[in-house]
Amino acid sequence: MSQWELKSIGGLMRLVEYKKDEVVYREGAEGGNFYIIVSGRFEAFSSSAGRQKTLAYLRRGDYFGEMSLLSSEPHSATLRALSDSILLELKKEDFKKTIEHNATVALELGRRLSSRLRGGGSRTLFKNDVIGVLDRPQWAGAEAFSFRLAADLFRETHQKTILLDLRLDAASPADPSLKAVSFRNLQNIENAPPELLSPNLVAHPAGFQVLTILRDGKDSFREEGIPLIFNHLAMEHRFIVVCLPRVLDETAMKVFTQSDSIYVVTDSDLSNINETKEMLADIEKASSLSADKISVVIHEVLLGMRTTRSVRKELFGDKPCFSLPPVQDEEHARVVRYIARKVSNSLVGLALGSGAALGLAHIGVLKALEREKIQVDMIAGSSIGALIGALYAVGLSAGQVEQAALEINSPFRIMRLMDPSLWPFHGLIRGRKVIRHFRSHLGNKTFEECRIPLRIVGANLSRRCAQVFESGLIADAVRTSIAIPAIFTPVFMNKEVIVDGGILSPLPVRVLHEAGAHKVIAVNVFPTAKDALERRLFLGEVEEKETLAARRKNWFGRNWFFVKKFFARKFSANIFDVLMNTIQTMESEIAEVESESADLVLRPVLANANWVEFFRPSIFIKKGEEETMKMLPKIKALVSQQNV
């Protein structure tokens, strides 16, 4: 278009401002106006069956609204501001006049519309996240946390990350290496090219960039400039980590309103935690963020006691809280890395399903994942999956979990764990020896002591719902989750009856989604109908070969074989087999439904195996390992996939 044509259109447009989270128009509404983004960031999304799907992220120079105007159809998406933004708006009637009287504009918009209808648009799902980090007064832990978080964000995603340091003012000692830029030099940043700040960016050895902005007290930068800086940086950077001064001034409050998440860093001294609680109340008043977007990071005092989950919940309610060890060790690094993966929507959850002895294949899955250095951020387990997941979550390596399974290498060792109930009103086995055996490996560890966040699922018969355990003693939760109805005595809690978690959730994928996992790998060990048919054919072939071999033996050997076969047939469909096969048939159907919501399903199924063969752990472990290695390319692709 010529300059004259651009000028004529520009004269019909007006500037309009939208605050963060404000909606421009909603899906299904009648087409209204045409918009061009002057500054800011927007999200286009549609909703279906209660779920929201992001269609595009828009920035400066992008336009929207023309689809409905040209096609006379309702809006196909909702447009929401992700930051304080400014738009050029062209009214519907002026848009139509422009199309009617300007052939060049009409041709260009028609070409763009045709391109979008063919799916040839250039808009991509590239989201920006602004993460505000604040110290409580008199505490200086946010700087180290901010730098480590920025480093982990870059390392985990390989996306451009910048740390924006707003802690310095004009009175701070000058450090030429910082390349600090004054607020007053950024007055017109909304009209500047992306490379404007290039001379002021410092490359950190960890891969991210650092920008230090000097807060000049005499000529302080207006708070409206904060979203303009964020919008400018968002043109080139996926993550913007903002390290704030320890003062809740107007600049800090404006950062909060423009952030996607906020982390307040403090220590575990009780008076300091109470001070942090008061600070959070002020932040909540100033920002529009929901409670789950404001998190507390507690650096535990070196010689003090660590805060417990119950204490943190009492103080901060439903806000996410993270506990950092006093020393910057491997556990400290793991917590910050977990936060980085949470911010970047990269948390990987592992759902370990039920299946009795068949579930020993979970160990092989863990061995392969551990060997390939594929990080699991949270685990949910039902029944045998709860036991194996718990052993791994508390800190045992996959090899150590394997050794624990190999200890039970004969039917006799299984029988030693059985303690029949003298009065089997609730179950044939009391389960006290089983829980004693678990405690030899799990000790008295609680869920809070887990190296990997853990969820264990039981089935609450009194409420007829799945019950998720995430606090208390892990061994007790495991005992509950393996309480096979009629075989093990159920667990009674608060006058409620709780049994094997596999009854209602044999593959706890939904539990992981509710816990915040973004990518879920599920391990389903239940044989399908095809697997069951293969097992029958296999057993038939084995029986035929054994019969032929027996007929070649002497009279005693031949008759002894047929006597054993007679009694085996008489007792093959015993009460335990009937009960377990009934339960597993039901569970396999539920597991198929639950697996539909997983991102990836592993099926380490042995067609010739039986649910009771705990004394043959090696064959199951090997199968789990083989299946994981076979699916390894898909697993790595899922883990490395960048979610928005």
Side-chain angles (χ1 to χ4, degrees):
M1 287 186 284
S2 67
Q3 291 295 321
W4 180 85
E5 288 169 326
L6 288 171
K7 188 174 181 180
S8 64
I9 296 174
L12 299 173
M13 306 187 84
R14 68 187 185 100
L15 288 172
V16 292
E17 183 178 359
Y18 284 86
K19 297 295 184 182
K20 184 176 184 292
D21 293 324
E22 195 172 350
V23 173
V24 181
Y25 56 71
R26 296 192 179 277
E27 181 180 5
E30 183 182 353
N33 305 323
F34 174 67
Y35 301 92
I36 299 176
I37 301 175
V38 176
S39 69
R41 297 171 288 132
F42 289 83
E43 177 188 27
F45 64 88
S46 62
S47 300
S48 176
R51 300 188 67 177
Q52 181 176 305
K53 179 182 179 182
T54 298
L55 304 175
Y57 293 104
L58 310 177
R59 300 174 182 78
R60 188 174 75 183
D62 284 330
Y63 57 87
F64 54 87
E66 80 289 353
M67 294 279 283
S68 295
L69 292 173
L70 291 172
S71 64
S72 299
E73 296 288 334
H75 288 299
S76 59
T78 299
L79 260 292
R80 178 175 67 93
L82 296 177
S83 65
D84 288 358
S85 307
I86 298 175
L87 297 175
L88 276 172
E89 179 187 72
L90 183 63
K91 296 275 186 192
K92 182 176 182 179
E93 53 272 18
D94 292 330
F95 179 85
K96 289 186 175 180
K97 289 178 183 177
T98 301
I99 296 297
E100 292 171 0
H101 296 96
N102 194 316
T104 305
V105 175
L107 183 63
E108 175 65 13
L109 286 175
R111 185 181 67 80
R112 298 287 180 91
L113 175 60
S114 176
S115 174
R116 291 210 191 153
L117 290 174
R118 293 195 307 268
S122 60
R123 301 176 187 185
T124 58
L125 291 177
F126 183 79
K127 186 178 184 291
N128 303 105
D129 278 290
V130 179
I131 306 106
V133 181
L134 176 71
D135 280 326
R136 68 156 188 84
Q138 311 305 319
W139 173 251
E143 179 183 2
F145 174 78
S146 299
F147 275 78
R148 190 149 199 171
L149 178 61
D152 283 343
L153 283 169
F154 177 76
R155 180 168 52 249
E156 293 293 329
T157 66
H158 303 290
Q159 299 286 334
K160 291 190 72 173
T161 302
I162 187 167
L163 189 144
L164 183 59
D165 194 342
L166 300 180
R167 294 172 301 135
L168 298 183
D169 55 31
S172 302
D175 184 351
S177 65
L178 294 177
K179 300 182 182 179
V181 59
S182 174
F183 265 151
R184 66 167 172 261
N185 294 334
L186 303 177
Q187 296 290 344
N188 298 313
I189 195 170
E190 68 268 29
N191 300 317
E195 60 272 13
L196 170 71
L197 293 172
S198 296
N200 302 101
L201 298 179
V202 177
H204 193 276
F208 62 94
Q209 294 177 312
V210 180
L211 174 63
T212 303
I213 297 181
L214 195 64
R215 297 156 55 86
D216 192 334
K218 295 180 180 178
D219 186 16
S220 115
F221 191 70
R222 54 195 170 92
E223 64 178 77
E224 302 83 48
I226 293 295
L228 300 180
I229 294 175
F230 290 168
N231 293 335
H232 180 86
L233 294 175
M235 295 171 65
E236 295 288 325
H237 297 87
R238 168 71 172 86
F239 300 103
I240 304 169
V241 181
V242 187
C243 191
L244 288 160
R246 295 189 293 275
V247 180
L248 287 179
D249 58 8
E250 293 180 352
T251 301
M253 290 300 185
K254 192 63 177 180
V255 169
F256 296 148
T257 63
Q258 299 302 304
S259 295
D260 298 288
S261 55
I262 297 170
Y263 291 86
V264 178
V265 184
T266 184
D267 64 5
S268 59
D269 182 86
L270 188 57
S271 61
N272 296 334
I273 285 183
N274 285 326
E275 187 177 352
T276 302
K277 183 179 178 181
E278 295 174 3
M279 179 190 293
L280 287 171
D282 294 334
I283 294 173
E284 285 187 274
K285 291 178 183 177
S287 68
S288 57
L289 290 175
S290 57
D292 64 324
K293 295 292 185 181
I294 303 175
S295 304
V296 182
V297 179
I298 303 173
H299 198 290
E300 305 296 343
V301 177
L302 183 60
L303 299 178
M305 293 184 64
R306 295 186 65 166
T307 57
T308 63
R309 179 178 297 176
S310 58
V311 169
R312 294 194 290 266
K313 184 173 181 61
E314 182 179 348
L315 287 167
F316 302 113
D318 294 330
K319 294 182 182 64
C321 293
F322 301 93
S323 174
L324 292 176
V327 182
Q328 292 197 17
D329 55 6
E330 183 182 346
E331 175 64 14
H332 187 286
R334 188 194 65 78
V335 174
V336 180
R337 187 166 62 248
Y338 179 93
I339 295 172
R341 289 166 72 87
K342 181 176 184 289
V343 169
S344 60
N345 297 327
S346 302
L347 291 176
V348 175
L350 184 64
L352 302 179
S354 57
L358 309 178
L360 292 171
H362 297 322
I363 301 173
V365 173
L366 292 173
K367 283 183 66 178
L369 294 178
E370 187 178 277
R371 184 173 59 248
E372 296 297 325
K373 293 181 170 51
I374 294 173
Q375 181 176 330
V376 174
D377 297 296
M378 58 182 69
I379 296 174
S382 283
S383 196
I384 182 67
L387 171 59
I388 293 171
L391 292 171
Y392 193 69
V394 298
L396 271 66
S397 67
Q400 290 172 317
V401 178
E402 181 181 27
Q403 287 303 312
L406 292 174
E407 291 175 5
I408 306 174
N409 54 11
S410 70
F412 174 72
R413 287 182 178 269
I414 295 177
M415 295 304 297
R416 287 179 60 186
L417 295 177
M418 303 295 102
D419 50 349
S421 177
L422 296 177
W423 305 99
F425 295 121
H426 303 299
L428 299 174
I429 299 171
R430 290 180 296 176
R432 293 178 183 175
K433 288 186 178 180
V434 172
I435 195 69
R436 197 179 304 131
H437 178 72
F438 292 162
R439 288 195 189 279
S440 68
H441 297 286
L442 295 170
N444 290 319
K445 290 191 176 181
T446 65
F447 283 82
E448 291 184 335
E449 297 174 87
C450 285
R451 182 177 59 89
I452 300 173
L454 174 68
R455 303 288 189 277
I456 288 177
V457 182
N460 191 317
L461 298 185
S462 302
R463 298 185 184 182
R464 297 191 177 183
C465 66
Q467 180 151 337
V468 181
F469 296 92
E470 53 182 303
S471 63
L473 291 173
I474 298 174
D476 290 346
V478 170
R479 166 63 180 86
T480 302
S481 189
I482 66 159
I484 303 169
I487 295 180
F488 280 99
T489 301
V491 175
F492 298 91
M493 295 178 61
N494 300 321
K495 297 182 180 180
E496 295 177 345
V497 184
I498 307 174
V499 297
D500 191 326
I503 299 299
L504 291 177
S505 183
L507 197 62
V509 175
R510 186 174 64 178
V511 171
L512 288 172
H513 284 307
E514 291 174 350
H518 306 107
K519 308 167 186 178
V520 174
I521 301 170
V523 187
N524 185 357
V525 300
F526 288 112
T528 61
K530 180 182 177 183
D531 296 322
L533 177 60
E534 288 181 7
R535 173 176 169 78
R536 287 181 60 191
L537 294 174
F538 173 80
L539 293 177
E541 291 176 3
V542 171
E543 183 178 4
E544 185 177 346
K545 290 178 181 178
E546 289 178 345
T547 303
L548 290 173
R551 285 173 178 167
R552 298 191 188 102
K553 294 181 179 180
N554 57 33
W555 179 88
F556 179 79
R558 190 166 54 251
N559 283 279
W560 177 243
F561 170 78
F562 287 109
V563 168
K564 287 194 301 181
K565 187 176 177 181
F566 171 79
F567 282 102
R569 189 181 297 114
K570 284 291 182 182
F571 292 100
S572 61
N574 59 65
I575 185 172
F576 291 102
D577 269 335
V578 171
L579 180 59
M580 284 300 300
N581 286 319
T582 300
I583 292 174
Q584 290 201 342
T585 300
M586 175 193 68
E587 289 181 341
S588 65
E589 291 296 315
I590 300 174
E592 287 298 322
V593 175
E594 290 188 305
S595 66
E596 293 176 0
S597 58
D599 297 282
L600 188 64
V601 181
L602 305 181
R603 295 181 178 275
V605 177
L606 279 171
N608 60 337
N610 191 287
W611 65 269
V612 77
E613 296 177 308
F614 285 97
F615 50 86
R616 299 174 63 201
S618 297
I619 62 169
F620 298 105
I621 294 171
K622 182 181 178 182
K623 183 62 178 179
E625 201 168 353
E626 290 174 348
E627 180 67 15
T628 306
M629 294 307 295
K630 186 174 74 174
M631 298 289 287
L632 192 60
K634 291 185 178 181
I635 295 172
K636 288 185 174 181
L638 173 66
V639 172
S640 61
Q641 174 185 311
Q642 296 300 310
N643 288 357
V644 294

